[in-house]
Amino acid sequence: MAGDRMAQNLAAVESHFHSEALNEIETALETFTDDIVWEAPALNGLNRSFSGKEATAKNYRELFASMRDVKFQFLQRFTTEDRVVDDSIVTFEVAKDGYWHFPVGSKIEMRLVHIFEMRDGKISREIVFDMGRTV
């Protein structure tokens, strides 16, 4: 039933964000399909893409190593039978060079919009639109 699928999709995304908030990368990765596609297409943002669980896992480890004092403020989230859209604001401090286009020590506020494409209760594509600035 559509309602069951939508609830399953929301639960997977909730689990994904909860694991990220606890810096439990391996648990967050369990919410992905093996053929996951992760992309951040903003030209003035992350501007990168990864295919497959192994490449996406490497990206996640680099991403989380590059940030400290991460806080999410969720604005809205909704689902359909095959997508979940999440809109939030994240703040963090850049902890390591090489991932962000901001220098180490920068305090960042970022509007973050995710479109998750879902398959069988797992995330098959994560599209991240990041719009960040120093504060």
Side-chain angles (χ1 to χ4, degrees):
M1 300 212 0
D4 292 343
R5 224 159 83 188
M6 289 168 49
Q8 188 179 32
N9 291 346
L10 276 177
V13 170
E14 285 282 345
S15 173
H16 181 77
F17 277 122
H18 178 74
S19 300
E20 285 184 347
L22 298 176
N23 204 15
E24 295 175 353
I25 296 169
E26 300 311 313
T27 305
L29 293 168
E30 290 173 12
T31 62
F32 289 145
T33 60
D34 289 338
D35 63 347
I36 179 70
V37 173
W38 186 97
E39 61 180 311
L43 296 178
N44 62 343
L46 291 172
N47 192 24
R48 58 190 78 180
S49 177
F50 302 93
S51 295
K53 213 170 203 177
E54 192 173 310
T56 302
K58 182 178 184 295
N59 174 59
Y60 259 70
R61 289 184 193 100
E62 290 173 8
L63 170 64
F64 281 91
S66 74
M67 302 184 300
R68 67 175 154 252
D69 196 23
V70 180
K71 293 182 178 72
F72 279 91
Q73 176 191 350
F74 293 103
L75 302 175
Q76 65 174 320
R77 181 177 297 154
F78 66 90
T79 186
T80 69
E81 289 183 39
D82 56 6
R83 284 183 177 57
V84 176
V85 176
D86 181 88
D87 184 10
S88 59
I89 295 172
V90 63
T91 58
F92 62 93
E93 183 179 336
V94 177
K96 186 175 167 188
D97 272 328
Y99 199 89
W100 301 98
H101 54 277
F102 304 108
V104 170
S106 298
K107 296 197 185 312
I108 306 301
E109 181 180 273
M110 182 174 288
R111 185 75 175 260
L112 205 53
V113 177
H114 288 83
I115 300 171
F116 296 98
E117 294 180 10
M118 308 298 294
R119 185 182 342 117
D120 300 324
K122 291 197 170 199
I123 300 164
S124 61
R125 182 181 211 104
E126 179 177 356
I127 308 167
V128 182
F129 297 93
D130 61 309
M131 296 147 277
R133 63 184 177 89
T134 55
V135 290

